[in-house]
Amino acid sequence: NAGVTQTPKFRVLKTGQSMTLLCAQDMNHEYMYWYRQDPGMGLRLIHYSVGEGTTAKGEVPDGYNVSRLKKQNFLLGLESAAPSQTSVYFCASSYSTGAPLDTQYFGPGTRLTVL
Amino acid sequence: AQSVTQLDSQVPVFEEAPVELRCNYSSSVSVYLFWYVQYPNQGLQLLLKYLSGSTLVKGINGFEAEFNKSQTSFHLRKPSVHISDTAEYFCAVSNAGNNRKLIWGLGTSLAVNP
């Protein structure tokens, strides 16, 4: 049981390049989330998904796209990277059906630098 | 709208001393409250949570927190800290009626010194 895994762990991009971050969870969770973490700004929600095939915008969605084609995977895409997207990205998942509370389980993070 | 304020951005403390990390929230509805911990270069993990019932909640690693509805606070405490408790601590709140999303505080950096 690996929990939540993220690929890659580190990446350096040039401005304008594109990339996809992959999040996978093996806990059969319904909900998945993408956050970014920046110094002094805490965690900010980018996009989230409440089930396979559904996505929704979070607090800071501009410049990012997501897809949830399979229940266990949640992809975060940057179509044209900008230096402002330099950050540490965290994926999280939680289970909802029948449960009164969603405890979020986090991946180890992806450190992205955009030059 | 809900919000979370962690009153201290940094808390230095000596080993074996007690510590309190403060968290206040604002909400017009019932809430669930959480504390998460982030060790250096790792993801976040749940320390403890308040759903309902007893206002004193015990979590992992000897931490506990008390929900105070009248003061809208959820302060985290530990009676004796260890070097290994050095980490970033995040308070978060969710709407008890729609808990799909968490509202996060900015974090408190706890530095335990020998």
Side-chain angles (χ1 to χ4, degrees):
Chain A
N1 190 335
V4 180
T5 58
Q6 293 182 232
T7 309
K9 288 185 170 53
F10 303 93
R11 185 74 185 266
V12 178
L13 290 178
K14 294 182 179 179
T15 297
Q17 287 185 318
S18 64
M19 77 164 293
T20 300
L21 282 68
L22 171 63
C23 175
Q25 52 95 2
D26 61 3
M27 297 175 281
N28 201 33
H29 284 169
E30 296 291 335
Y31 294 168
M32 296 187 75
Y33 310 80
W34 275 108
Y35 293 95
R36 58 178 292 173
Q37 184 179 36
D38 302 289
M41 303 191 75
L43 284 169
R44 292 183 291 170
L45 183 65
I46 304 171
H47 287 279
Y48 65 102
S49 167
V50 300
E52 182 179 318
T54 69
T55 63
K57 294 181 179 180
E59 185 184 350
V60 288
D62 294 342
Y64 304 95
N65 57 75
V66 288
S67 64
R68 182 101 181 267
L69 298 179
K70 293 183 179 181
K71 186 176 184 179
Q72 63 268 33
N73 295 337
F74 195 29
L75 279 62
L76 177 71
L78 286 72
E79 291 184 346
S80 180
S84 61
Q85 293 177 305
T86 293
S87 187
V88 181
Y89 292 86
F90 287 101
C91 176
S93 70
S94 67
Y95 175 70
S96 69
T97 304
L101 175 71
D102 298 336
T103 296
Q104 293 189 17
Y105 294 84
F106 283 77
T110 295
R111 189 174 296 274
L112 175 65
T113 301
V114 183
L115 302 176
Chain B
Q2 295 172 321
S3 66
V4 176
T5 302
Q6 292 185 239
L7 298 165
D8 306 291
S9 60
Q10 295 182 327
V11 174
V13 64
F14 288 109
E15 194 173 18
E16 297 183 5
V19 70
E20 178 180 78
L21 307 184
R22 297 179 294 167
C23 174
N24 284 95
Y25 69 94
S26 66
S27 177
S28 58
V29 298
S30 295
V31 296
Y32 294 149
L33 294 156
F34 307 80
W35 276 98
Y36 279 78
V37 60
Q38 183 181 29
Y39 297 106
N41 299 312
Q42 295 186 25
L44 283 74
Q45 63 184 90
L46 182 69
L47 260 183
L48 49 79
K49 61 192 177 190
Y50 171 79
L51 307 183
S52 63
S54 173
T55 58
L56 184 63
V57 179
K58 294 189 183 298
I60 62 171
N61 300 339
F63 283 93
E64 63 181 31
E66 186 159 17
F67 171 56
N68 188 320
K69 188 174 182 179
S70 63
Q71 297 189 3
T72 61
S73 68
F74 191 54
H75 300 334
L76 181 70
R77 302 186 182 98
K78 186 170 182 177
S80 177
V81 294
H82 302 288
I83 298 286
S84 59
D85 292 322
T86 294
E88 191 84 14
Y89 291 79
F90 292 93
C91 182
V93 62
S94 75
N95 182 335
N98 179 8
N99 57 4
R100 295 177 180 179
K101 293 187 290 181
L102 293 175
I103 307 300
W104 296 86
L106 296 185
T108 296
S109 179
L110 176 64
V112 181
N113 301 299

